[in-house]
Amino acid sequence: MTTDSALTGLTSELVSPWPATPHCRHHYAAEHCGVRPDEALLVAAHPWDIDGAQRAGLAGAWLRRGVPDTAYPHSLANPSLATEDLTELARIIG
């Protein structure tokens, strides 16, 4: 995974509010960054965002922010990574 395209300022507002497919926002973000979805990583503090990204083929990193791992909803796909904060995530992915 490269970080060359990281922090590009993407927001969901760049894609129609009524996407044609459930995953088009995630695919748009990957395409915008010049990578395939399976080469992208969504980083979020909200488990439902991570679950959606992983269902779209991206990896997902959960920023726990002091929340124990056991708090992640069992009904959602487990995150690819779980870290306390961005500093720890950066250390892990190098």
Side-chain angles (χ1 to χ4, degrees):
M1 178 184 311
T2 68
T3 57
D4 296 343
S5 299
L7 304 175
T8 60
L10 288 174
T11 68
S12 61
E13 287 78 23
L14 293 174
V15 182
S16 166
W18 299 103
T21 66
H23 306 307
C24 77
R25 291 177 189 230
H26 298 99
H27 292 179
Y28 173 84
E31 182 180 323
H32 180 80
C33 293
V35 298
R36 297 186 320 264
D38 66 334
E39 297 174 316
L41 173 68
L42 177 115
V43 179
H46 302 110
W48 54 86
D49 291 330
I50 296 161
D51 183 72
Q54 291 185 157
R55 290 175 189 271
L58 287 71
W62 180 39
L63 301 181
R64 292 187 309 267
R65 296 184 181 176
V67 175
D69 284 335
T70 56
Y72 198 89
H74 296 289
S75 60
L76 302 179
N78 288 328
S80 307
L81 296 166
T83 66
E84 183 59 29
D85 53 33
L86 286 172
T87 301
E88 182 182 359
L89 179 62
R91 196 169 39 250
I92 290 170
I93 64 174

